[in-house]
Amino acid sequence: MRVINFLDRQGCCVAAQEIHQELRSSGEAVGLASVYRVLDVLADKRLVQRLDLGDGITRFEAIRHSEEHHHHIVCDDCGKIEPFADQRLERALKDVEAHSGYEVAGHDIVLRGACASCR
């Protein structure tokens, strides 16, 4: 429940190590292996999604069907990750689905660049 509650408070994706560190720093007695086990179960039940942002670290994000779908933009310099949503992009992806003959089950878009602080 601690992992689930932590994920529910996040606005974007987090790594298992981050979850573990935050829970430990708040006084929770939880092991890293337990965090991974919980995340695996939640991912299998499609309550969280695994995200690969290209840096070798798997991140996890709660799936909230009531909220707007978002993607991620990553700073190549400092590693900052920010969510973004764009309805025009979503419409374009629906057009690709309609013209490709595929039934798209999901998609993730990761943009890379330099954030305002690093430019």
Side-chain angles (χ1 to χ4, degrees):
M1 285 308 297
R2 294 175 193 129
V3 173
I4 292 169
N5 290 335
F6 179 83
L7 284 170
D8 193 46
R9 294 189 305 268
Q10 305 309 304
C12 199
C13 56
V14 290
Q17 294 85 352
E18 292 175 81
I19 296 169
H20 178 251
Q21 288 172 342
E22 289 295 322
L23 291 176
R24 296 283 302 204
S25 69
S26 67
E28 300 287 349
V30 61
L32 182 57
S34 295
V35 170
Y36 274 109
R37 279 193 298 274
V38 169
L39 291 170
D40 284 341
V41 169
L42 294 173
D44 289 345
K45 295 186 178 294
R46 298 184 191 273
L47 297 172
V48 300
Q49 66 176 347
R50 287 181 177 92
L51 296 163
D52 177 1
L53 302 180
D55 60 0
I57 299 171
T58 301
R59 289 176 177 78
F60 299 86
E61 187 167 67
I63 296 174
R64 295 179 177 100
H65 298 288
S66 62
E67 292 184 16
E68 187 175 88
H69 176 75
H70 69 258
H71 300 284
H72 302 90
I73 188 163
V74 180
C75 179
D76 288 326
D77 295 324
C78 70
K80 180 179 176 180
I81 301 167
E82 293 189 71
F84 76 93
D86 186 317
Q87 289 305 312
R88 294 169 299 167
L89 177 59
E90 296 301 324
R91 285 192 298 273
L93 293 171
K94 287 287 187 192
D95 288 344
V96 169
E97 179 181 30
H99 292 93
S100 69
Y102 279 79
E103 182 177 324
V104 176
H107 62 271
D108 294 307
I109 294 175
V110 178
L111 301 179
R112 307 193 75 75
C115 71
S117 298
C118 291
R119 277 187 282 146

